[in-house]
Amino acid sequence: MKPSSNLKILPLGGYGEVGRNMTALEYDGAIIVIDCGLMFPESDMPGVDLVLPNFQYLVDNVDRLVAYFITHGHEDHHGALPYVLPNAPAPIYATRLTRGLIEVKLKEHKRLAGAKITTIEPGERIQAGPFTVEPFRVAHSIPDAVGFAVETPLGVVIHTGEYKFDLTPVSGEPTDIHRLADYGSRGVLALLSDSTNAERAGHTPSESLVRDALERVFERAEGRVIIATFASNISRVQEVINVAELYGRKVGLVGRSMENNGDMALELGFLTPEPGTLLGIKELDKLPADEVAICCTGSQGEPTSALTRMAEGTHPRVTLRKGDTVVLSATPIPGNEELVHRTLDNLFRLGVDVLYQALMPVHVSGHASREELKLMLRLTRPRYFIPAGGEYRMLVLHGRLAQDLGMAPEDIFIVESGQVVTIDEAGARKEGEIPGGYIFVDGSGVGDVGETVLRERRRLSESGFILVSATLDRSDARFKPQVAISTRGCVFQPGAEDLMEALRLAAIEVLRTSSAGRSGLEDQIVRRLGELVTERLKRRPVIVAQVFLRDGS
Amino acid sequence: MKPSSNLKILPLGGYGEVGRNMTALEYDGAIIVIDCGLMFPESDMPGVDLVLPNFQYLVDNVDRLVAYFITHGHEDHHGALPYVLPNAPAPIYATRLTRGLIEVKLKEHKRLAGAKITTIEPGERIQAGPFTVEPFRVAHSIPDAVGFAVETPLGVVIHTGEYKFDLTPVSGEPTDIHRLADYGSRGVLALLSDSTNAERAGHTPSESLVRDALERVFERAEGRVIIATFASNISRVQEVINVAELYGRKVGLVGRSMENNGDMALELGFLTPEPGTLLGIKELDKLPADEVAICCTGSQGEPTSALTRMAEGTHPRVTLRKGDTVVLSATPIPGNEELVHRTLDNLFRLGVDVLYQALMPVHVSGHASREELKLMLRLTRPRYFIPAGGEYRMLVLHGRLAQDLGMAPEDIFIVESGQVVTIDEAGARKEGEIPGGYIFVDGSGVGDVGETVLRERRRLSESGFILVSATLDRSDARFKPQVAISTRGCVFQPGAEDLMEALRLAAIEVLRTSSAGRSGLEDQIVRRLGELVTERLKRRPVIVAQVFLRDGS
């Protein structure tokens, strides 16, 4: 091994929704990537459709890129592939269900053709450049999830993916404690572990808790039972099917992604209903209400989702009625609270029975809580620890937890987007920098919308705009200056004729009195009208002036 | 009593943040109003500063308006007075602290001069037209809070205001159980009760729980202790003072509203520090860190608040440093989660110790939970029940709770904005309608911004705008058509020269080829450019065209 050889750990998206789900490992020039996720825009990113981690480093080093390894089938772990793959192609390794979900996405983007995907199994060993990668089973809120143990010439790096120590998972198997213990006893160089629930004391309840709650719901429901959850939460869908069969109900899947994922999971055998349990809405409508269950999208109040439209009474195929029971089997992702509450209120207005987390334990987290995080640290006994998968405060809390277990602060690395952890014979340290931050997807544009445009959008959303265009003919006195004014999002025009007229006159006055050239006139109009609007309305709309000037020349 | 006489209960703002806090009672033509609150805009109300209940009914009936009664000093209960009072003037009745906070607000708006305010005490009886109003003590998250028992010719109507049955409140007195029991035994016609925590099982913990947590914080803190809470939460501020004195620390109040409310509460004797406990930042900076405590605003992550700026390192007077302990003594109001989390992450980045609800019980709600709501219903034994103060689902859940206690569904009224509950000898029923909904405050405008403008703002925030202005001189072939294009919030222009040029050429082509008049040309340009942008970017910006047409005429 060349003395120069060292291992680099690069959190490409940094902390938070993105970075936690795209990590590169580099040794001797070879790069592998674990997860390639996207996040959904925050409220201060108006108009943005998706947020990708900054993958520039992979583009710049594509010749040294060996492979992608995906831990599980949630979009925040593989959803960026359709955007990253064309710019930084490499073979993808994933378990069967995860592969199925990746292929659904790639197909949507017409990117499946070029992609080279290999199905992997826990316990298998994949050679990828200087790395030997072994997937190990973890329990999460989607089946077929794994973490990765990466053997490097400097030692084993363990990336947990997202996990909890659920000892009675409803579908799939529990997290492979024995394998983790085995690695721990043989020595682990570095651990990257999911920090999402680092704020939560104790243990995350088992998925079987939800099973019990659902049984109580089905037991007492006299009408239809409608359950909304994440389309990717295949385990939850399977539970609904199990309980429905127990209580003699048929099940319909409603919502595009719920139907797509359902078909794929059926095909791959990750949904195992009895023959005849799954029915289309048409067949369900022929059954008595107490023999019907529906599993649908919309648990986050997404405006066009199935549940949201049912709650608004605008769903084409499902009309809710008194006697129906609606279960929101999810908790709001921070930022979605208002949408979720609005949907709940609309459901209550329809007079249906509504059950949600505040009233009944109809959802459990898929992430390990503090006691489980401790267990992971104890099992693996890492030399170095990098809290992954969480917002900054969660990384810090996770790091402190490791200190409580006796790790030295200098062996714990809180890394944000763009930072690099370098490990060699001398040990581990923060060293080096790479391009960090986000890449925004808006419509068909990837990366063309940045902070500048978002700042403009935020300002427009505050006070709208006023547009002034004018003509001035200094060459011909017969023609008076003409001014046209339009505004949107600033005032309700039918009530603002006076203001509009005042603005028009102010603009004309500038044109009459100023001797400036075109751009000078435009600046003076913008300034003058800005003063007027601020004084009249105490608002600061975007003002744009365009003057056509004809002079003798 | 004229047979025609009846009692009307009008939830002026309807359910939700607003309406819960503005209720009118009308009998024999006379109107009294309980609370006059405002709410802060939701995320789909961009640019809106404040949201008022629709008070049109009071304006239309101002000659019959007898008085305003305010339950406590939170802005969502009195903050609309500066806007409502000028249009619907009437005397205001409030307890001392509440009056103080109202006067601070009215002064800000230069509305104090005209206002007629009377200080009231629990147990006092105020004659207001046909109504006799008796305030009774309730425990809430602000001292000097009351509910109102309103005697009408048809019976007693009880409005609880906002309360919890805190048996060990830290400042102020517990809710007056005896008075409520007394009314209950004499018979209550209708109860309006706070539904905010109708989703929460059990009892809301006593404020003394926070006291214990704060003591633990001060006991172990080695540096300064900075506590952020609502400026109006005088009780919490007093607690901080009490604990600080216990542990030999001086206290500074930071943040405009915290300082204003503090001064006023001191003056009125609702803050009772020992002499010398309260100090300015300058004096505090001279003390050792372990003798300093700061109570500040920003518990909701408000962008310009004290804590937010401390977390960003931009506060002019307080610079946080390692060793400081920051306590977020509040929970995020739904919709504020992202801002609060961002502030927390920034605090962690500064390396200070951060404590918040997820880690320690540093906050308790000021609202009664389900067991307390039951107790209120049992105590008052109302003939009719109107759940107040909560979002729709909470009103329904509160109503169901009353049914669990044996009330008949037809005696429970879930009322939304614009609806009216009418009671006469025949009983109570939903009857009649009044103007409902919201009134938006934006800058100096009250009511001039409505759904239309908000829709425009939301669209602008999605994709921005493109402005095209053009001149066309059909009378003189020497002049070619001229086109100018500006855009904001749509694309990052430095990268979009091609698009801009394509748009310009498309506009010119329309001008060259079309024989339409001015507005026809403008429509054609908007349509053509819209197609182009959608095709190129898959975005739908607002497009405005302004054409100056000179023809022979």
Side-chain angles (χ1 to χ4, degrees), chain A residues 199 356 456-457 469 486 489 546, chain B residues 199 356 456 469 486 489 546:
Chain A
E199 289 173 308
Y356 50 105
E456 291 171 349
R457 289 180 181 176
S469 48
S486 310
Q546 292 175 338
Chain B
E199 289 173 308
Y356 51 105
E456 291 170 350
S469 49
S486 309
Q546 293 174 336

Side-chain angles (χ1 to χ4, degrees), chain B residues 96-97 143-144 171 234 238 264-272:
Chain B
R96 276 178 61 240
L97 177 61
D144 220 12
S171 58
I234 311 285
Q238 179 63 48
M264 189 272 308
L266 273 170
E267 200 181 302
L268 299 180
F270 285 94
L271 278 183
T272 56

Side-chain angles (χ1 to χ4, degrees), chain A residues 242-299:
Chain A
N242 295 342
V243 178
E245 287 169 344
L246 189 64
Y247 288 89
R249 288 175 183 253
K250 305 299 184 186
V251 180
L253 304 184
V254 175
R256 192 176 50 79
S257 51
M258 181 69 73
E259 293 164 42
N260 293 347
N261 290 349
D263 294 343
M264 188 273 307
L266 273 170
E267 201 180 301
L268 298 181
F270 286 94
L271 280 182
T272 54
E274 290 164 9
T277 293
L278 284 185
L279 292 179
I281 290 298
K282 281 212 177 56
E283 293 89 64
L284 289 174
D285 286 343
K286 298 189 196 115
L287 298 174
D290 63 358
E291 293 177 18
V292 174
I294 291 172
C295 203
C296 67
T297 55
S299 63

